[in-house]
Amino acid sequence: MFLVLYRNPKPDAEQWPGRRWLAAIDAVLWPALWITALAAVQNRAGIVVPVAIAFLVVLAAARLARAIWRNERYWFSTWRWGKVLAILMATGLLLMLLLT
């Protein structure tokens, strides 16, 4: 038996002034942060780090192209991962307060 699941595509993002520039910054910022983190361990990881950095550069270029030319299809990573990080930080702060 073969089952095919289909999801409807996400609707286009709302457009507002300055969104294209913020999207371009967001598109390059996250891969750049990962590249910086990988560069810190480059001496100990062998060939894995240069390959991962090359992949992240290609990913950043694709994200930048989508952020500039297909802005209605670009979704901000900072907003998505910022919520996750805020929840984790709030949980850690709550645990720290409860255990002291």
Side-chain angles (χ1 to χ4, degrees):
M1 181 176 179
F2 185 68
L3 180 66
V4 176
L5 300 176
Y6 178 75
R7 290 189 315 174
N8 291 331
K10 287 175 95 172
D12 289 346
E14 182 181 339
Q15 296 295 311
W16 38 271
R19 185 182 197 283
R20 187 175 311 271
W21 291 105
L22 284 176
I25 292 169
D26 183 73
V28 175
L29 178 70
W30 285 96
L33 289 174
W34 280 107
I35 289 170
T36 304
L38 287 174
V41 297
Q42 186 169 9
N43 296 338
R44 294 173 274 161
I47 192 72
V48 174
V49 172
V51 171
I53 288 175
F55 173 74
L56 286 169
V57 168
V58 171
L59 180 70
R63 287 169 51 94
L64 181 62
R66 188 179 336 124
I68 292 175
W69 290 298
R70 294 286 314 234
N71 191 260
E72 70 278 359
R73 302 302 300 162
Y74 183 81
W75 295 92
F76 285 95
S77 296
T78 302
W79 181 249
R80 177 181 179 187
W81 295 110
K83 290 186 287 187
V84 173
L85 290 175
I87 290 170
L88 287 174
M89 288 177 60
T91 304
L93 181 64
L94 183 65
L95 284 172
M96 186 175 67
L97 289 174
L98 288 174
L99 295 175
T100 56

